Amino acid sequence: MPKGAESLLTVLAAHDVEVVFGLPGVHNLAIWEALGKHPGIRMIGVRHEQTAVYAADGYARTTGKLGVAVVTTGPGAANTLGATGEAWASGSPVLVIATDIPSTLRRPGVHRGVLHETRDQKAMFTPVTKASFDVPSAHQIAAYTDKAVQQATQSPHGPVYLGVPTDFLSAEVPHHTVTKVAPSHEAADLTEAEKLIAGSERPLIWAGGGAARSGAGPAIGALAAKLQAPIITTYGARGLTDGPHVVRGPVHAPPVGKLWDDADLVIAIGTDFDGMMTQNWLQPKPPALLAVNIDKAEAGKNYPADVTIEGDAATVTAALVASVTAKQATVDVEAVNAEVRALAEADSPEAVKLLRALEGTDATIVADMCIPGYWIGGFHHVTKPRGLAYPVGWGTLGFGFPAAIGAAVDHRTIAVVGDGGFLFACGDLATLKQEGLPLTIVLVDDGGYGMLRYDQQIANHTISGVDLTRPDFAKLAESFGIPAVTLNGFDDLKSALDEASGPSMIVVNASLEPPITTSPRWYRKNAT
């Protein structure tokens, strides 16, 4: 009979898991040892538990596959919560496997003082996961692992916690047969949706992260072409589809916001209209709203829909393409895009230099919650699905570099980070070197927390707490054996990126003003 740790990994392998991110601890060493019997699963050892989950999240966002993190008991598990919350708020399919104290030492309701013991480890994860499970017996370790994977990967996606008492990992357990559950998509009744579309003259498509996760890009592109409707994408849907109907700018830009204001029908696909995209719901409810969402409650929680179609975004949108009547164009999307780019050029020529340096790259871009990341999230033209990962679900500073480690497992990646956020996980330069990942870090050094400095400046407050003592970042990278160059400004960034290969760092000494996507500059708020 297999041991519990071997059975856990067998289930993961049966679900096509090929890479796991983790940190060893005294309670989970059995999993690391069992990896020798599962050569198809690559364990990437990181230097902090939060990095393990961020990397799993970055891997999930950029590949569409399940991201898995393995951490140890108590403080190890607790260290993951910020990253788990980001995965939860962004709908990422992530499985967090954490060991717990031995079942033989647990006394319900009593904290006995066992090493790493908590009163209820699972309870820490409940607010920031789609589902949380504690394995109740060694014989059920495989069944619960199977159940947790299914939960994370079934729509709506989200992170799942699986707690495993450490003694279960070394116990002999029965074999378990994994039965994959194929998603079923029932045909939706499109009658009311067809009426709304037929009666509209100026339809607008708003595509969100749920549309991206369902692979709805081709269907949305086809629907836009048939209806001659502009496509606005949320941060989570950047690159969903690329064509003449895609608006290449944020809805926070007045020319794009005007598309919303002028539309007589908004077709919302895989979105919940969060506050970051709607300027905290200052966008007025459209005259008519058609919502397509896997979860009816999510579809209507912020803007009540006139018609809601509950179902998979790709399947429902493809059915709409086949059923609706073609329309004539009423919006010149190319002119809107030109107006948005001119606005960005006038607002910050330096930021546009950053954007131009990234144009044409085939690399996946991972941006942190920093001013350069805000510019990329709002204005970078993403040309492929899953080509941008950006932490606006929970807004977790420090996401960029560790999430890029996960993304770089599958594809050449560029992480754009600030000096403050990068220091959250700079120890994982060791992971980057150890694994030889094709990741280039573009670190924009403005001397501290630039966004917070801006907040204090515009409020006429004393500048405090935001100017940081920093290392020589290039020398720091080189101390880990990672090549690094330092630039003053963005003029030479494009050539530096072209020359970078393997693990590398480009330090850019520059300071940018925040873009109009940041809340102090929301035009709808400032107009009231």
Side-chain angles (χ1 to χ4, degrees):
M1 296 174 69
K3 299 292 182 66
E6 298 165 10
S7 184
L8 183 153
L9 292 171
T10 297
V11 172
L12 294 181
H15 283 286
D16 304 318
V17 171
E18 298 174 345
V19 61
V20 172
F21 305 89
L23 199 73
V26 66
H27 286 163
N28 71 10
L29 285 176
I31 295 176
W32 291 70
E33 294 163 2
L35 281 164
K37 297 183 179 181
H38 293 273
I41 298 180
R42 175 184 179 186
M43 171 64 85
I44 294 182
V46 299
R47 302 305 188 268
H48 194 278
E49 289 88 0
Q50 191 171 82
T51 294
V53 177
Y54 275 143
D57 186 359
Y59 177 82
R61 292 190 200 209
T62 56
T63 65
K65 302 174 184 177
L66 176 69
V68 180
V70 175
V71 299
T72 195
T73 313
N79 279 342
T80 71
L81 291 173
T84 304
E86 174 59 43
W88 160 72
S90 295
S92 293
V94 169
L95 176 60
V96 181
I97 301 172
T99 48
D100 208 335
I101 67 167
S103 63
T104 54
L105 299 179
R106 171 72 71 191
R107 188 179 296 168
V110 178
H111 180 267
R112 304 183 68 193
V114 179
L115 179 68
H116 300 333
E117 180 184 12
T118 59
R119 286 183 295 172
D120 188 347
Q121 185 168 289
K122 184 182 77 168
M124 295 192 299
F125 286 84
T126 301
V128 292
T129 54
K130 177 184 175 183
S132 299
F133 303 106
D134 277 331
V135 177
S137 70
H139 282 207
Q140 293 173 283
I141 191 169
Y144 269 73
T145 304
D146 193 1
K147 183 178 181 180
V149 171
Q150 302 275 11
Q151 279 282 330
T153 55
Q154 289 174 2
S155 297
H157 301 101
V160 172
Y161 164 79
L162 181 67
V164 186
T166 184
D167 53 316
F168 293 176
L169 296 175
S170 56
E172 290 189 341
V173 298
H175 292 280
H176 175 80
T177 301
V178 171
T179 303
K180 296 183 181 180
V181 179
S184 59
H185 303 306
E186 298 180 4
D189 183 355
L190 305 180
T191 305
E192 295 303 315
E194 291 166 350
K195 290 179 183 177
L196 270 185
I197 293 172
S200 69
E201 296 180 355
R202 299 176 304 282
L204 170 71
I205 296 173
W206 177 291
R213 290 187 289 274
S214 77
I220 289 174
L223 182 63
K226 197 164 187 180
L227 298 181
Q228 292 297 303
I231 304 170
I232 293 176
T233 56
T234 68
Y235 296 126
R238 293 287 193 259
L240 172 91
T241 185
D242 190 34
H245 299 94
V246 176
V247 178
R248 299 179 185 177
V251 72
H252 313 78
V256 183
K258 189 174 186 299
L259 295 177
W260 173 277
D261 295 340
D262 290 348
D264 62 357
L265 169 65
V266 171
I267 303 172
I269 304 174
T271 185
D272 63 357
F273 291 115
D274 64 71
M276 288 288 291
M277 291 304 304
T278 61
Q279 298 171 60
N280 281 348
W281 305 285
L282 289 174
Q283 287 180 193
K285 182 185 180 300
L289 178 59
L290 165 61
V292 177
N293 203 297
I294 197 73
D295 186 329
K296 186 174 183 178
E298 287 292 298
K301 70 182 182 183
N302 288 316
Y303 289 102
D306 297 279
V307 174
T308 300
I309 304 176
E310 191 169 11
D312 173 71
T315 303
V316 173
T317 305
L320 284 173
V321 173
S323 68
V324 299
T325 302
K327 294 182 179 290
Q328 297 295 315
T330 60
V331 175
D332 186 344
V333 175
E334 184 177 353
V336 172
N337 289 338
E339 193 174 353
V340 170
R341 180 47 66 101
L343 184 155
E345 288 269 13
D347 200 20
S348 178
E350 283 299 301
V352 172
K353 290 178 184 178
L354 167 63
L355 299 175
R356 285 180 175 155
L358 298 174
E359 286 178 356
T361 180
D362 187 47
T364 297
I365 308 297
V366 181
D368 206 357
M369 288 291 287
C370 58
I371 294 176
Y374 302 149
W375 277 100
I376 290 168
F379 294 92
H380 176 54
H381 178 205
V382 185
T383 58
K384 64 178 183 178
R386 303 184 180 276
L388 173 68
Y390 180 47
V392 289
W394 229 24
T396 48
L397 180 61
F399 165 93
F401 171 46
I405 288 175
V409 171
D410 185 73
H411 201 272
R412 176 71 188 165
T413 300
I414 298 171
V416 180
V417 302
D419 50 303
F422 175 74
L423 288 172
F424 281 35
C426 61
D428 273 286
L429 285 169
T431 303
L432 179 57
K433 175 63 176 178
Q434 171 183 291
E435 300 295 331
L437 298 172
L439 168 59
T440 297
I441 303 163
V442 176
L443 191 156
V444 182
D445 187 351
D446 67 357
Y449 300 124
M451 187 68 224
L452 301 181
R453 186 186 297 122
Y454 177 83
D455 288 338
Q456 292 178 342
Q457 288 170 340
I458 63 172
N460 293 317
H461 291 168
T462 301
I463 303 302
S464 59
V466 298
D467 295 328
L468 302 177
T469 298
R470 292 103 58 219
D472 182 321
F473 287 107
K475 289 182 178 178
L476 177 64
E478 289 166 353
S479 74
F480 285 89
I482 295 172
V485 298
T486 300
L487 308 175
N488 290 316
F490 297 101
D491 289 340
D492 297 322
L493 179 58
K494 177 68 172 176
S495 59
L497 284 170
D498 290 342
E499 294 171 6
S501 63
S504 54
M505 177 185 282
I506 303 169
V507 180
V508 183
N509 294 318
S511 180
L512 298 175
E513 290 288 301
I516 55 177
T517 57
T518 54
S519 58
R521 298 194 61 195
W522 286 346
Y523 79 91
R524 293 187 189 270
K525 179 179 72 173
N526 294 326
T528 58

